[in-house]
Amino acid sequence: MSILGRPIVALLPFVPRFIVRWISKRYVAGENIDQAMSVIKKLRSNNTCFTIDVLGEEIKNMSEASYFMNEYNALLDAIIDNDIDANISIKPTALGLLIDGAETSKNLTKILLKASKNNIFVRLDMEDNRVTQSTIDLVYEMHKKGLNNVGTVLQGRLFRTENDIEKICSMTLKNSDFRICKGIYLESNDIAYTNHKEIVDSVIKCIDLMLENGAYTAIASHDDDIIAYSLDSLKKHGMGPELIDPRKNAGIKLPGKGNGYEFQFLLGVRGDERRKLAKEGHLTRVYVPYGSRWYEYSMRRLRENPEIAMHVTKAFLLPWTNRR
Ligand code: FAD
């Protein structure tokens, strides 16, 4: 797939910005909070909730963090004022993780305090391997302070992830809460699986491990095999729509959360599958990115992972294969 994606990525710099905007409209909810809120209000329905992300990452100096701090502050206000069933997703490098760990921790603490007062959960998106450990360490640090409304993402493609699940569960106990995905960053073969089947097998193992360890498990994949496997595995654990989570090692159900698990989808991707799961009673969450930096962000993601370019092109040319 990436063989076909690469030539598309090479052509991107020559595509006029307004065309990129037009295509990306399906995946990015707009440039500001009002536009994001309006997309969310249109998508609101039974068993559908949201996680909202301010686009951008890896700031170059700490003064840039204030843009994200202000935006996340305003975003929390908007979630509360509009009574939206949503949590927020944050890229730790946007708060300064690669520059100043102590300042990043202060920034995150401020966001978590405000979110926690309003029963809003905060997800730390997982970025490339430079920050895997420091992102997990941030979660430990916040839980030690009693701020349990934060959890990380783990990437099935990394060899380390199974160990990370065991360790995080032993540290955060009944407050363990993960998003599990394949991982968008193409990591090298000394630290990660690079073959499609191996990545799928690893994600599946991680889902089982999370469920066995009592963790809240947010399955973030559009892959039919992963979704089908998860449904079987949930059944084996006695979990499902309208069933109280029976796992002895599970935490209590928190506001805005499902019965020990949920399914997550990116805005614009496989809406039909998401609606089918929601109709069956499973909690589904849509990841809604917005922000003024949509162009730089989209270009960077496409360059890093040309497979996405193929998915986007297919969805654009054959829209019936992938409804919003
Ligand atoms: P794929 O095999 O890539 O996709 C399965 C099918 O879904 C494709 O055949 C295609 O039909 C459709 N599809 C997938 N992507 C697209 C697209 N962009 N456009 C159109 N169709 C598409 N990765 C991280 O590294 N860190 C994170 O914090 C993170 N957070 C995520 C949050 C959510 C809610 C989701 C859903 C994904 C997240 N990811 C994150 C990305 C993830 O790691 C994968 O790169 C991405 O989801 C593609 O893998 P897949 O399992 O969906 O399977």
Side-chain angles (χ1 to χ4, degrees), residues 27 125-126 153 155 179 181-185 196 220-223 226 264-266 269-270 287 307-308 311-312 315 322:
Y27 304 102
D125 283 342
M126 187 53 86
V153 176
Q155 299 154 326
R179 176 196 296 154
C181 62
K182 287 179 181 168
I184 200 168
Y185 306 87
H196 181 260
S221 174
H222 317 98
D223 187 317
I226 292 178
Q264 298 192 347
F265 288 71
L266 298 173
V269 182
R270 301 212 66 197
Y287 184 103
E307 265 189 34
I308 302 173
H311 291 322
V312 173
N322 195 339

Side-chain angles (χ1 to χ4, degrees), residues 22-61:
W22 185 49
I23 295 173
S24 69
K25 246 181 147 168
R26 150 190 200 120
Y27 304 102
V28 175
E31 299 197 7
N32 57 48
I33 292 181
D34 288 346
Q35 289 167 341
M37 289 294 136
S38 125
V39 167
I40 286 173
K41 283 177 186 167
K42 279 188 200 134
L43 284 176
R44 269 204 283 204
S45 58
N46 271 352
N47 296 322
T48 304
C49 59
F50 303 90
T51 185
I52 313 176
D53 166 63
V54 179
L55 284 176
E57 59 192 340
E58 202 172 338
I59 53 172
K60 299 288 175 233
N61 56 67

